[in-house]
Amino acid sequence: MKTKVGQVTPEEKVEIQRLFERRNGLNELAKILTADNTDLYEKLVKDMGETSVKFQTWWDKMGEKYKWKSIEGANWEIDFDTRDIYLVTKE
């Protein structure tokens, strides 16, 4: 179930959209890259870690800033077209 809990500014949306697209791109690259190329593999793993931390930090920062409702086991999701933030539960 999705419940709207807020909205972010256009600038905030751009920030999380860049991180989202970068994270997805790195995940796709990880599917085709083998550990044979050690330097590239290590750079990818490092970049994935850093991007994941930035992604989670953005959500934590915005959740605190806007005081979005949260529930244990649920997560927030953004609609990039409307900038609306939803609380997504498994119900």
Side-chain angles (χ1 to χ4, degrees), residues 36-89:
D36 296 341
N37 187 338
T38 316
D39 291 340
L40 188 56
Y41 183 77
E42 287 178 13
K43 180 172 175 17
L44 173 66
V45 170
K46 181 179 181 233
D47 202 356
M48 287 176 76
E50 290 171 354
T51 302
S52 292
V53 168
K54 288 176 184 176
F55 188 81
Q56 187 58 52
T57 299
W58 185 92
W59 284 108
D60 294 343
K61 183 174 76 174
M62 292 300 118
E64 181 64 29
K65 176 181 178 179
Y66 292 112
K67 307 292 186 216
W68 294 329
K69 177 182 176 183
S70 64
I71 298 173
E72 184 73 29
N75 63 287
W76 292 313
E77 179 179 284
I78 185 169
D79 179 325
F80 290 116
D81 293 327
T82 63
R83 303 186 330 268
D84 292 334
I85 303 298
Y86 295 92
L87 180 66
V88 181
T89 58

Side-chain angles (χ1 to χ4, degrees), residues 3-16:
T3 306
K4 183 177 173 183
V5 294
Q7 189 176 60
V8 294
T9 67
E11 295 80 15
E12 291 164 343
K13 181 209 74 156
V14 167
E15 185 180 358
I16 193 61

